[in-house]
């Protein structure tokens, strides 16, 4: 339904069922409107994507404009210092709160999905930057972590910080294994390698169609019971386009619509606490490929019959 074409209506003269449909359509129209960082307003995300990448429902994206979109984003980050302060946009102070919130969320999910028995767990850090999340969080919970990052000097900093710093934990080695200098829109994971695919503060650089393509490709990289963690800034309504770094901040409803189009289900979600008030709210999503069963316990139902396969590089 093209909600932009809906005329003014008097709800009192419309049958109840039709009123519900119209209310939903009008509410959705309000939800997907947005602005960019210059203050320009867009009536819909479709309007914005047509402007930015020439996206057309029939013809797809203008490849020249799409390449420009990505090259401008990479150019922005190439000018940023490879440090915690740099990758966090001058808000290095949020590092501790960010890691604390992520760890609390992750620790509730690992036993639910994989049980409490010790296993060889593998994760990938997408948009890994300088390896901040890998170093401060993922290496404490996963035996192997791969890093995917398109900005070369960030990835080199991550390699220097992590390659010679394997962590011995309970007589097991936890290490950064592979470093891939590749953008998410081109990353295709090895089939069945990962227990967790971690995507934080990077998916906003992908337009909707590449967002969907990425997750559809990445799903094949999950082991049985594996899951995604998506941690991102959340717009309070619709979207906000940042013209400096070529990224989009989507609302919760916008994200959930895209997750649905990817064939993914929200297993659980949690708000990040203790962030500066002037910043966007931050939300964490656990996404799974099967529809969660209400009131079920993943670990008790699956840990015996459907264990992840141990994969070593």
């Amino acid at each position: 339904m093209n909600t932009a074409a809906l005329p003014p209506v008097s709800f009192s003269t419309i049958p109840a069922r039709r009123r519900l449909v119209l209310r939903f359509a009008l509410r959705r129209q309000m939800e997907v409107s947005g602005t960019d960082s210059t203050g320009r307003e867009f009536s819909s995300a479709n309007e914005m994507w047509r402007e930015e990448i020439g996206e057309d429902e029939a013809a797809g994206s203008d490849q020249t404009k799409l390449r420009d979109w990505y090259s401008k984003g990479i150019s922005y980050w190439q000018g940023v210092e490879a440090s915690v302060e740099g990758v966090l946009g001058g808000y290095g102070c949020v590092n501790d709160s960010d890691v604390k919130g992520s760890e609390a969320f992750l620790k509730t999910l690992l036993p639910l999905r994989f049980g409490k028995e010790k296993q060889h767990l593998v994760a990938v850090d997408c948009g890994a930057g300088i390896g901040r999340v890998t170093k401060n969080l993922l290496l404490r919970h996963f035996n192997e972590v791969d890093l995917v990052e398109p900005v070369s000097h960030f990835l080199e900093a991550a390699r220097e910080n992590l390659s010679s710093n394997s962590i011995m934990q309970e007589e097991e080695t936890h290490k950064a294994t592979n470093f891939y200098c590749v953008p998410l829109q081109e990353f295709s994971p090895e089939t069945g390698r990962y227990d967790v695919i971690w995507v934080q503060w990077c998916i906003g650089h992908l337009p909707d169609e590449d967002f969907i393509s990425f997750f559809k490709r990445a799903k094949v990289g999950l082991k049985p019971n594996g899951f995604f963690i998506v941690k991102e800034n959340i717009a309070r309504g619709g979207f906000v386009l940042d013209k400096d770094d070529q990224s989009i901040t989507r609302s919760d409803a916008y994200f959930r619509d895209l997750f649905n189009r990817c064939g993914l289900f929200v297993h659980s979600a949690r708000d990040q606490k203790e962030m500066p008030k002037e910043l966007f709210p931050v939300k964490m999503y656990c996404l799974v490929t099967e529809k969660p069963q209400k009131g079920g316990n993943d670990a008790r139902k699956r840990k015996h019959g459907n264990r992840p396969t141990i994969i070593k590089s």
Side-chain angles (χ1 to χ4, degrees):
M1 178 183 294
N2 182 1
T3 58
L6 289 173
V9 293
S10 172
F11 282 98
S12 62
T13 62
I14 298 175
R17 182 167 181 153
R18 178 63 175 159
R19 288 203 300 269
L20 288 174
V21 172
L22 284 171
R23 284 197 181 102
F24 175 82
L26 291 169
R27 187 165 61 245
R28 183 172 176 80
Q29 179 183 11
M30 293 175 62
E31 178 60 33
V32 299
S33 62
T35 62
D36 69 18
S37 52
T38 70
R40 178 177 176 179
E41 297 183 354
F42 297 92
S43 62
S44 70
N46 287 338
E47 179 190 356
M48 184 274 291
W49 290 125
R50 283 195 300 270
E51 175 73 21
E52 292 298 318
I53 61 173
E55 186 173 82
D56 180 84
E57 290 185 5
S61 302
D62 181 315
Q63 292 304 302
T64 299
K65 296 186 76 171
L66 184 61
R67 284 193 297 270
D68 287 345
W69 165 275
Y70 283 123
S71 65
K72 288 177 183 177
I74 292 293
S75 294
Y76 173 88
W77 288 107
Q78 285 174 337
V80 172
E81 180 183 82
S83 66
V84 171
E85 196 73 16
V87 297
L88 291 179
Y91 281 88
C93 59
V94 309
N95 179 67
D96 290 346
S97 296
D98 168 57
V99 172
K100 179 181 176 182
S102 295
E103 184 157 43
F105 190 45
L106 182 62
K107 287 172 73 173
T108 66
L109 296 166
L110 291 177
L112 279 176
R113 300 294 292 176
F114 307 127
K116 296 182 179 180
E117 297 177 11
K118 191 173 295 297
Q119 299 178 41
H120 185 96
L121 297 178
V122 182
V124 59
D125 185 358
C126 294
I130 62 172
R132 181 187 66 89
V133 172
T134 293
K135 179 180 179 180
N136 296 321
L137 172 65
L138 299 180
L139 284 179
R140 295 210 299 271
H141 298 277
F142 297 89
N143 301 89
E144 298 181 60
V145 182
D146 293 342
L147 289 82
V148 178
E149 170 56 48
V151 180
S152 59
H153 75 289
F154 285 172
L155 195 64
E156 285 306 310
R159 193 190 303 271
E160 290 177 11
N161 291 334
L162 298 168
S163 291
S164 60
N165 287 331
S166 297
I167 298 175
M168 289 302 296
Q169 185 169 305
E170 297 179 359
E171 300 182 352
E172 288 190 342
T173 301
H174 293 232
K175 63 180 180 178
T177 304
N178 297 303
F179 297 80
Y180 300 110
C181 192
V182 61
L184 292 191
Q185 69 272 16
E186 297 176 14
F187 177 61
S188 295
E190 177 185 333
T191 300
R193 172 161 173 76
Y194 300 116
D195 298 285
V196 171
I197 296 177
W198 193 279
V199 184
Q200 178 169 351
W201 286 333
C202 61
I203 202 68
H205 289 288
L206 268 60
D208 292 354
E209 292 307 313
D210 282 350
F211 179 114
I212 294 167
S213 295
F214 164 73
F215 279 103
K216 286 185 174 181
R217 289 194 314 275
K219 282 192 291 186
V220 305
L222 290 174
K223 296 181 188 178
N225 297 342
F227 57 92
F228 292 93
I229 294 290
V230 174
K231 185 169 187 177
E232 284 293 337
N233 295 340
I234 301 295
R236 290 175 173 83
F239 62 88
V240 178
L241 171 66
D242 190 321
K243 297 288 286 184
D244 291 327
D245 67 0
Q246 295 298 100
S247 68
I248 178 174
T249 299
R250 298 170 169 98
S251 66
D252 176 68
Y254 196 156
F255 269 117
R256 289 175 183 265
D257 178 64
L258 288 179
F259 296 152
N260 182 62
R261 292 168 64 187
C262 294
L264 294 170
F265 301 90
V266 177
H267 176 281
S268 51
R270 182 179 293 188
D271 295 330
Q272 170 68 46
K273 306 296 185 182
E274 301 178 9
M275 298 292 277
K277 292 183 179 180
E278 66 270 22
L279 299 181
F280 284 111
V282 176
K283 186 179 285 289
M284 296 170 277
Y285 301 92
C286 170
L287 305 175
V288 297
T289 58
E290 76 285 353
K291 189 172 184 179
Q293 297 183 10
K294 293 182 179 180
N297 184 302
D298 290 348
R300 283 199 296 265
K301 289 185 177 181
R302 299 192 188 92
K303 71 177 181 179
H304 295 297
N306 197 16
R307 286 183 181 166
T309 302
I310 297 176
I311 299 178
K312 297 184 179 180
S313 61

